[in-house]
Amino acid sequence: MSAPRWDLEPLFSGGADGSAYLDAVSETEAKVEDLLSRADALPALPAQIADWTAWLVDAELLSAKAHQISTFAHCCFCEDVKNKAGERAAARSGALWNRFSRAWVPVQDAIARGSQEGFDALIARPEIAEQLPKLRRMRDQGHLLLPLGEQALATELSRDGIGAWSRMYDSISGRLTVTLGEESLSAGQAQNRLGSQDATVRDQAYEGLQEAWTSAEDDCARALTHIVGARQTINDRRGLDELADTLAANRLERASLDAMLEASRRAQPILLRYLKLKAKLLGLEQMSWEDLAAPLPSTAAKQDWPQAESFVMTHFGAYHPDLQAFAGRAFGENWIEAEDRGGKRPGGWCAFAPGIAQSRIFMTHGGTFRSTVTLAHELGHAYHNHVTADLPPSQRAIPSTLAETASIFAESLVRDAALRAAKDDESKRSMLDARLMAGVSFLMNIPMRYDFERALYRMRREGPLDPAALREEIVGIQKRWYGEALERYDPSFWCAKLHFYIGGRSFYNYPYTYGYLFAQLVYRQVMERGPEAHQDYIELLRRTGWQGGEDLAMETLGLDLRDPETWWQAIAPLEDDLKALEALVAG
């Protein structure tokens, strides 16, 4: 049985050019325009408080409809980037969100800069009580706003500025062809080959990907130049650095980010020791970039889709029947697009469709344990959506940092249960390797991306970004994190990693390290307490939609995220994993 394709009919029947979707878009577009006109006409608070209240209630309801449209359009585009109807749907959805964001501009400005008397009068209205956390954040984040007219213009131009360059990159990456011998693969399919046990296959995939991305590097550098440049211009106008937006969006203090990165650097000796050991296990004198995702030599067969599905279901069930039942629903109702075929966008993600209280998962199943872990990860996201589905939209605004909690929790369930179930040394080695590989990904690869993205802002000050300079910069940063562990690196990483090109947010990457470590802290406490802790875990997930990370960690876990030692609690068990792997190798 091949990996499945998803069912998008429950979202909107008839596809991206069907009447159900097109009618919904037209209706929502009209409501957004009405909302925008009303927003521009609102007086300073506390005047016409009833009109203010009605506007906020209507905006809350409309956001759910716009979200459903956006999820559907994104699904249609990613499943086949050559499909013109999906491309049109994605473009129209992006324009709709842009207008919706524009409608919020005068409202945010008035809330952030208006009188305290007016703000107090507004939040006293019972009709909008559920929106209080969101409104208070707006009040506190006035420093992120340009003057009203400039903010409105910047919001409108973002669609044909940063957003346009981001969409161009999506088209480039989706249409990219990687030639491996007689095969012609998408970038996502070729990337999966890096997880092969066969070193020759990995080497061919690495070379093919380098050649393919090099052919696109001029366009990628051009897109990155204008994405970074536009953000830099806005930041300069506000007098802020490049981290201001991401810290606010993630409800994160700079002290917590710095503490997390400090703890990650402290893990480097453990992980370098592991990479040296892994080179030996792979029969190599030294690892190279393409070997990082390689599984250990094994006589075990590849995991096809039924095996992956069964593996996840079994180990989710070992934790709690609620999570297992949820995963069974996702499989049974065809929420997952996992077929290995050309024309798909690279990567994996999960998106929520609030109108039907369901998620859709996008990935390309490569038949390896790595793909099974990706499946568990995305199902974790879907479960997060599931347990918050009844909350109002303004309380489902989960920041990227906390959005990784349930996904990494689900990964940990699968990895730990698989290790416990391993019946022979070969299986135990494979499971320990998978856990240590995750440490390399989250504590070396992700911080490396963070350092590179910060470097982009320095480089952009010097002029347009140049492919040769970008290659040199990314390899230099890779060497700082991986040291002497690797023989060769990935000079095309800067153009192959789509996260650098996401138009809606900067610094997309470090939240994965945060999520990995925060989820480990949550996971440890839940596992120590047993099944009765599951309801507390659900309550923590529900609070991620409105609460800041520092308060959430202290109130639910009793932990201070500003302290590097807190993060180290999540990292330290990797030393035990490495010692266990070393003992197995020593025999």
Side-chain angles (χ1 to χ4, degrees):
M1 174 184 171
S2 61
R5 301 188 67 167
W6 53 23
D7 180 11
L8 299 181
E9 287 292 295
L11 280 76
F12 294 102
S13 62
D17 51 2
S19 59
Y21 175 70
L22 295 176
D23 289 349
V25 175
S26 295
E27 178 185 352
T28 306
E29 286 171 339
K31 290 182 178 179
V32 166
E33 291 303 318
D34 175 67
L35 202 69
L36 194 158
S37 297
R38 289 163 55 195
D40 284 340
L42 287 171
L45 286 166
Q48 297 182 23
I49 197 74
D51 290 343
W52 270 92
T53 304
W55 192 96
L56 289 168
V57 169
D58 291 347
E60 181 89 338
L61 295 172
L62 198 56
S63 70
K65 295 180 180 179
H67 194 158
Q68 177 103 345
I69 288 168
S70 177
T71 291
F72 180 76
H74 191 55
C75 288
C76 291
F77 175 72
C78 289
E79 70 177 359
D80 182 4
V81 296
K82 297 179 182 179
N83 184 303
K84 293 298 182 182
E87 186 175 358
R88 288 193 298 271
R92 192 171 178 184
S93 169
L96 173 64
W97 269 113
N98 180 264
R99 297 297 285 171
F100 190 56
S101 297
R102 166 61 182 85
W104 271 100
V105 169
V107 175
Q108 290 175 303
D109 187 86
I111 289 172
R113 294 177 169 142
S115 69
Q116 188 64 45
E117 175 193 6
F119 182 71
D120 290 342
L122 180 65
I123 63 174
R125 302 284 290 192
E127 304 97 310
I128 57 170
E130 63 191 21
Q131 298 189 44
L132 292 188
K134 176 180 180 178
L135 298 175
R136 288 197 171 102
R137 284 197 303 275
M138 286 184 185
R139 182 73 173 170
D140 293 338
Q141 294 175 1
H143 65 288
L144 298 175
L145 301 177
L146 295 165
L148 179 58
E150 293 181 18
Q151 187 69 43
L153 179 61
T155 302
E156 291 180 10
L157 288 177
S158 66
R159 180 65 190 154
D160 289 314
I162 291 176
W165 290 107
S166 178
R167 292 193 303 278
M168 188 188 86
Y169 175 82
D170 286 344
S171 295
I172 292 169
S173 63
R175 290 180 169 85
L176 200 70
T177 298
V178 182
T179 302
L180 302 182
E182 301 297 319
E183 294 183 284
S184 182
L185 305 177
S186 70
Q189 289 176 305
Q191 191 71 26
N192 275 337
R193 298 291 178 90
L194 297 179
S196 172
Q197 287 189 13
D198 189 330
T200 301
V201 172
R202 297 196 302 271
D203 184 69
Q204 290 175 344
Y206 173 88
E207 295 292 351
L209 284 163
Q210 293 297 321
E211 181 179 356
W213 282 112
T214 298
S215 72
E217 66 178 7
D218 286 338
D219 287 335
C220 290
R222 191 171 296 114
L224 205 54
T225 291
H226 297 300
I227 290 170
V228 174
R231 287 180 176 143
Q232 200 162 55
T233 298
I234 291 173
N235 288 336
D236 289 348
R237 297 281 292 189
R238 298 184 302 181
L240 300 173
D241 71 5
E242 65 269 17
L243 293 178
D245 280 318
T246 183
L247 292 173
N250 284 301
R251 301 177 212 148
L252 178 66
E253 295 178 13
R254 177 67 181 271
S256 297
L257 175 59
D258 289 343
M260 181 190 78
L261 293 171
E262 179 182 333
S264 298
R265 284 188 288 271
R266 184 176 164 189
Q268 200 171 22
I270 297 172
L271 298 173
L272 291 175
R273 199 169 99 224
Y274 156 67
L275 290 175
K276 184 177 180 179
L277 176 62
K278 182 161 185 175
K280 176 182 175 181
L281 293 172
L282 291 174
L284 303 170
E285 290 187 12
Q286 191 176 21
M287 298 269 286
S288 285
W289 188 269
E290 66 270 23
D291 302 316
L292 288 171
L296 296 182
S298 173
T299 58
K302 293 182 71 175
Q303 283 194 329
D304 61 18
W305 181 261
Q307 290 169 322
E309 184 176 320
S310 174
F311 194 88
V312 169
M313 286 288 287
T314 297
H315 296 313
F316 276 11
Y319 161 66
H320 200 279
D322 181 53
L323 184 59
Q324 183 184 52
F326 171 78
R329 181 186 172 200
F331 291 129
E333 296 179 5
N334 296 321
W335 293 8
I336 304 169
E337 164 57 64
E339 188 177 49
D340 186 354
R341 66 176 189 278
K344 291 173 65 173
R345 185 184 174 190
W349 46 262
C350 175
F352 185 53
I356 57 174
Q358 296 179 10
S359 293
R360 289 297 181 268
I361 289 170
F362 180 86
M363 59 178 290
T364 298
H365 182 69
T368 64
F369 181 70
R370 183 185 182 190
S371 289
T372 302
V373 171
T374 298
L375 173 62
H377 179 103
E378 301 303 342
L379 282 167
H381 280 304
Y383 186 69
H384 202 161
N385 294 336
H386 169 67
V387 300
T388 58
D390 64 319
L391 295 174
S394 61
Q395 293 184 30
R396 291 200 308 266
I398 305 169
S400 297
T401 43
L402 298 174
E404 295 305 318
T405 305
S407 56
I408 305 297
F409 189 100
E411 277 192 38
S412 299
L413 286 173
V414 167
R415 287 199 177 99
D416 283 6
L419 179 60
R420 289 194 300 270
K423 294 181 173 59
D424 54 66
D425 286 353
E426 180 184 285
S427 298
K428 292 176 183 177
R429 283 196 301 268
S430 294
M431 293 303 105
L432 287 167
D433 175 62
R435 288 153 63 106
L436 287 159
M437 280 172 61
V440 170
S441 295
F442 291 114
L443 301 175
M444 298 177 88
N445 190 286
I446 299 295
M448 174 269 294
R449 300 181 204 179
Y450 169 83
D451 284 353
F452 176 69
E453 191 160 357
R454 294 215 69 184
L456 288 175
Y457 289 87
R458 168 182 53 78
M459 297 171 72
R460 185 64 182 89
R461 293 279 182 204
E462 301 167 3
L465 298 172
D466 173 68
L470 290 165
R471 288 196 300 271
E472 182 179 357
E473 187 70 28
I474 191 65
V475 169
I477 294 173
Q478 288 169 355
K479 287 180 177 179
R480 287 205 299 271
W481 278 97
Y482 291 89
E484 300 299 320
L486 303 184
E487 183 176 5
R488 67 175 176 181
Y489 295 85
D490 184 3
S492 71
F493 189 90
W494 65 270
C495 51
K497 184 50 61 178
L498 64 88
H499 293 165
F500 298 133
Y501 299 84
I502 294 175
R505 66 181 75 171
S506 60
F507 291 94
Y508 185 91
N509 292 287
Y510 76 80
Y512 283 90
T513 297
Y514 183 112
Y516 168 71
L517 296 176
F518 185 74
Q520 298 300 324
L521 296 170
V522 174
Y523 181 75
R524 185 181 64 178
Q525 291 201 15
V526 170
M527 290 297 118
E528 287 175 354
R529 292 177 54 203
E532 68 274 9
H534 182 64
Q535 194 56 47
D536 289 337
Y537 171 58
I538 290 175
E539 180 58 28
L540 181 149
L541 293 179
R542 287 171 64 83
R543 292 172 68 167
T544 60
W546 55 269
Q547 193 166 25
E550 287 81 12
D551 290 342
L552 181 66
M554 183 57 69
E555 293 174 15
T556 62
L557 305 174
L559 296 173
D560 180 6
L561 299 185
R562 305 169 191 87
D563 184 354
E565 290 302 316
T566 294
W567 300 103
W568 185 251
Q569 290 178 38
I571 296 172
L574 287 173
E575 175 77 26
D576 297 330
D577 289 338
L578 180 54
K579 287 179 178 178
L581 181 58
E582 289 170 335
L584 285 170
V585 172

